[in-house]
Amino acid sequence: MSGISERSGRPDAAEVQQILDAVPFVRTLGIRVSTVDDRLTVCLPYAPHIVGNPKVPALHGGALASLLQIAATAELIRVTAARKPPRMFSQTIEYLAGADMLDTVATATVVSRSRRYANVRVEARQGTSTRPAAVATVQFLLVE
């Protein structure tokens, strides 16, 4: 790993991607981390293996939930400059619209953080939609 970015003291998107890629499921889903308008953005590219019901057709809810969790994890890694993913202990998901067979992008915001815990709010959107397909609140344990 190249270390923490000199500019901000926080890992950049490439460094967060490298930390997340240590998790095999992240690689299986093809998750990609980037920075858009100075925000960390996590993309779940469309692939046939993440379709839940081809008759509808829509992405699998579990794939969408995984994207939300990974996006929350990525943002918390960036904010805390962690060297490994924090431990999630709770996630509440709201599915707001059917997720079409398109790339899905998620962004997260750390809502609160203490020495031991953190709460992160995540939104997943598709295309140019202003309405999220799903949102989640994810809680993490920060100490091992």
Side-chain angles (χ1 to χ4, degrees):
M1 185 177 333
S2 61
I4 304 300
S5 299
E6 296 297 322
R7 186 175 34 127
S8 67
R10 295 180 172 176
D12 62 16
E15 292 162 338
V16 171
Q17 180 77 57
Q18 190 174 13
I19 293 167
L20 292 175
D21 279 344
V23 179
F25 191 59
V26 171
R27 294 191 312 268
T28 299
L29 289 176
I31 297 285
R32 291 290 152 239
V33 179
S34 62
T35 304
V36 176
D37 296 331
D38 215 21
R39 288 213 51 182
L40 204 61
T41 303
V42 180
C43 179
L44 171 66
Y46 167 74
H49 70 277
I50 61 171
V51 172
N53 184 349
K55 293 181 182 179
V56 171
L59 297 183
H60 192 283
L64 197 52
S66 296
L67 169 65
L68 293 166
Q69 178 187 344
I70 293 164
T73 301
E75 181 64 12
L76 200 52
I77 288 170
R78 186 186 70 81
V79 167
T80 63
R83 299 265 185 218
K84 63 180 185 174
R87 181 178 296 177
M88 182 198 77
F89 68 87
S90 176
Q91 178 172 343
T92 304
I93 303 168
E94 299 171 44
Y95 295 99
L96 304 174
D100 297 326
M101 295 192 308
L102 301 168
D103 290 357
T104 308
V105 175
T107 56
T109 304
V110 176
V111 177
S112 64
R113 183 176 127 205
S114 70
R115 208 171 42 96
R116 297 181 56 106
Y117 304 103
N119 291 301
V120 182
R121 185 76 173 160
V122 191
E123 291 187 355
R125 299 179 190 274
Q126 291 187 310
T128 58
S129 175
T130 58
R131 182 171 185 228
V135 296
T137 301
V138 188
Q139 289 84 35
F140 292 91
L141 180 64
L142 298 178
V143 291
E144 292 289 321

